[in-house]
Amino acid sequence: MALTADKKTLIWKTLNETRGKIEPAEYKNYIFGLMFYKFLSEKAQNWLIGQLRGETWANIWNQNPEKAAAFMQSKLGYVIQPGELFSDWQDAINTDQFNVSNVADALVHFNQGIQKGARATFDGIFDDMDLSSSRLGSNTQTRTKTLMDWISLIDQIELNEDSDVLGDLYEYLIGMFAANSGAKAGEFYTPHQVSDIMARILTAGREDMPEYSLYDPAMGSGSLLLTTASYMHNDGVRGAIKYYGQEVITTTYNLGRINLMMHGVEYNDIHIHNADTLSSDWPDGVQSGVDSPRMFDAVMANPPYSLNWDNTNREDDQRFKAGVAPKSKADFAFLQHGLYHLKQDGRMAIVLPHGVLFRGAAEGRIRQQLLENRNISAVIGLPEKIFTNTGIPTIIMILEKNRKTDDVMFIDASKGFEKQKNNNLLRQQDIDLIIETYLKHEDVDKYAHVATFDEIKENDFNLNIPRYVDTFEEEEPIDLHKVDESLIKIDKEINESKQTFNELYQQLVSTEE
């Protein structure tokens, strides 16, 4: 059972009231860190209930700490020592024995107790919780009070075993923090409506695949990975879906790792790295002089738009065979990176600015090469103001490696939305229409057109959507006779008003001194 909208709003309001002077962008690190620690604690407690058989975790630990730690590690990938569970923190608060060191020591011990095979998933995941920061308070006493307030607050939020409820809340809070964190929100958040379009296209006709690998080279909070996986029938089955991704911003990388696990993804199905995708290709690259890249069933991305990047000495990079993107615009670099790692029968979806459709020079040559290779299968124009970090209109481009046809489907979905206070919202009917149109692969008047390669070639490989989808609406013809009658009537009314005014003016009486 999902959380109601009223419940979510109440949780956000309550959380915000405890924030004090801490900016949302920093506040989220503490809140998400504490939420995640509670999640891991409750997972450990539930596992312990089935293992202890009347014993206490403290007794088992005291008998043989190393053996106890190894046993929990083998099942969960991490260890939480007795006295350091989230519930222990709350007990310490209730008995007036809590101090900021309770949390600090627990996080140190957690990091020390990560299983070797789980280090890539858990290592440093709480590093963004700076417990010595003056933002929490000017001294230990005030920092302790701040943590006590947050822990008590989060303890009241029912983070039960239902990962759908927990993940739903977590995703909602990510979106709310994004909306309240200004321009940099786009570093970690893609609106769910956009994720949904990409996910449904990527998985269409492939929902029954027994094994499925996902890759996001600019993964942010991981929402694209999770949304795509949610349409697979094996979602939630351990080992059936593998999650791969890279994220250059460490704080966002931690956010993504937490998000995946809070949605119930097992740590051994998560393979993500804190790295610069364009500078550091996925680790399975050139080995012993042989290029053996990892390939994925689905690639999805919402990379930073028109990013500056180091494009020097890239001519021999196997990822950029279609051409090297200009230094001031890395859009086609991200696109080609993703396409390079796509399986021959895979499918890719990427969000990009409109400029990639028509800009010339190096980008024009790359675009032509992609079209001649039959890689681009669809271009979907989205409304403006649907992202928290930019008001510009964007597109979703769908790509494949081994297409048999060379046409391209254009969908102009820029006018289908609900206007809100600061942003535009894609409604469910707007999303459904995009998916239905894409799957039918047919022309729709004023909305979609399947362009042949010859049409595109005649347009000099310019993919600007208005060249292919005519959305012009003819205005109704003007009845000049009615206009003339209306003007005569207006003139008559003006003359009558003037006459009335003059009559009133004559009746006015003035007195000289």
Side-chain angles (χ1 to χ4, degrees), residues 370-377 403-410 441 450-457 461 463:
L370 293 170
L371 289 163
E372 289 176 346
N373 290 341
R374 302 177 176 178
N375 293 136
I376 301 175
S377 63
R403 294 179 68 221
K404 292 182 171 57
T405 59
D406 56 8
D407 57 16
V408 176
M409 174 156 217
F410 292 87
H441 203 72
V450 181
T452 65
F453 182 80
D454 288 338
E455 282 182 79
I456 295 169
K457 189 175 180 180
F461 301 99
L463 300 182

Side-chain angles (χ1 to χ4, degrees), residues 333-366:
F334 280 109
L335 184 152
Q336 289 188 85
H337 170 89
L339 184 62
Y340 175 70
H341 286 284
L342 189 65
K343 286 183 178 179
Q344 288 298 319
D345 58 349
R347 197 176 288 159
M348 175 180 171
I350 183 170
V351 181
L352 295 167
H354 273 258
V356 299
L357 302 177
F358 53 79
R359 291 193 296 244
E363 291 183 298
R365 292 189 292 273
I366 295 171

Side-chain angles (χ1 to χ4, degrees), residues 207-231:
E207 298 90 343
D208 290 319
M209 289 176 64
E211 295 182 354
Y212 197 60
S213 58
L214 310 170
Y215 176 51
D216 186 341
M219 65 172 285
S221 68
S223 59
L224 275 171
L225 291 168
L226 288 164
T227 306
T228 304
S230 71
Y231 283 96

Side-chain angles (χ1 to χ4, degrees), residues 30-43:
Y30 296 98
I31 292 301
F32 287 152
L34 291 172
M35 281 179 65
F36 185 51
Y37 195 87
K38 181 180 181 184
F39 167 75
L40 295 177
S41 291
E42 293 186 349
K43 188 174 182 179

Side-chain angles (χ1 to χ4, degrees), residues 150 200 226 242 262 318 393 508:
W150 288 347
R200 290 173 64 180
L226 288 164
K242 298 291 186 182
M262 293 274 268
Q318 292 298 305
L508 292 175

Side-chain angles (χ1 to χ4, degrees), residues 201-202 204 206 297-299 342 345-348 398-400 438:
I201 289 175
L202 287 168
R206 305 175 183 196
D297 292 301
V299 176
L342 189 65
D345 58 349
R347 197 176 288 159
M348 175 180 171
I398 310 300
L399 300 105
E400 297 175 51
Y438 172 83

Side-chain angles (χ1 to χ4, degrees), residues 273-429:
H273 298 111
N274 183 198
D276 185 330
T277 286
L278 300 183
S279 297
S280 306
D281 193 7
W282 188 261
D284 306 317
V286 178
Q287 299 173 7
S288 302
V290 178
D291 190 30
S292 54
R294 180 76 62 96
M295 300 300 183
F296 307 100
D297 292 301
V299 176
M300 68 289 305
N302 178 20
Y305 309 143
S306 302
L307 182 75
N308 281 300
W309 73 301
D310 181 7
N311 69 346
T312 56
N313 301 319
R314 301 287 186 175
E315 290 75 17
D316 295 329
D317 193 320
Q318 292 298 305
R319 295 175 293 171
F320 309 127
K321 281 187 175 180
V324 179
K327 182 179 181 180
S328 61
K329 296 178 180 66
D331 304 310
F332 273 115
F334 280 109
L335 184 152
Q336 289 188 85
H337 170 89
L339 184 62
Y340 175 70
H341 286 284
L342 189 65
K343 286 183 178 179
Q344 288 298 319
D345 58 349
R347 197 176 288 159
M348 175 180 171
I350 183 170
V351 181
L352 295 167
H354 273 258
V356 299
L357 302 177
F358 53 79
R359 291 193 296 244
E363 291 183 298
R365 292 189 292 273
I366 295 171
R367 190 169 56 245
Q368 179 175 341
Q369 185 71 52
L370 293 170
L371 289 163
E372 289 176 346
N373 290 341
R374 302 177 176 178
N375 293 136
I376 301 175
S377 63
V379 175
I380 302 167
L382 300 174
E384 62 180 4
K385 296 183 180 178
I386 59 172
F387 289 91
T388 56
N389 62 321
T390 178
I392 66 170
T394 53
I395 63 149
I396 297 174
M397 187 177 287
I398 310 300
L399 300 105
E400 297 175 51
K401 251 187 182 173
N402 198 22
R403 294 179 68 221
K404 292 182 171 57
T405 59
D406 56 8
D407 57 16
V408 176
M409 174 156 217
F410 292 87
I411 299 175
D412 187 347
S414 62
K415 295 177 176 61
F417 60 87
E418 177 184 295
K419 190 169 183 59
Q420 296 191 327
K421 185 178 179 181
N422 296 318
N423 289 84
N424 295 324
L425 177 72
L426 283 164
R427 300 160 296 185
Q428 191 59 50
Q429 64 260 36

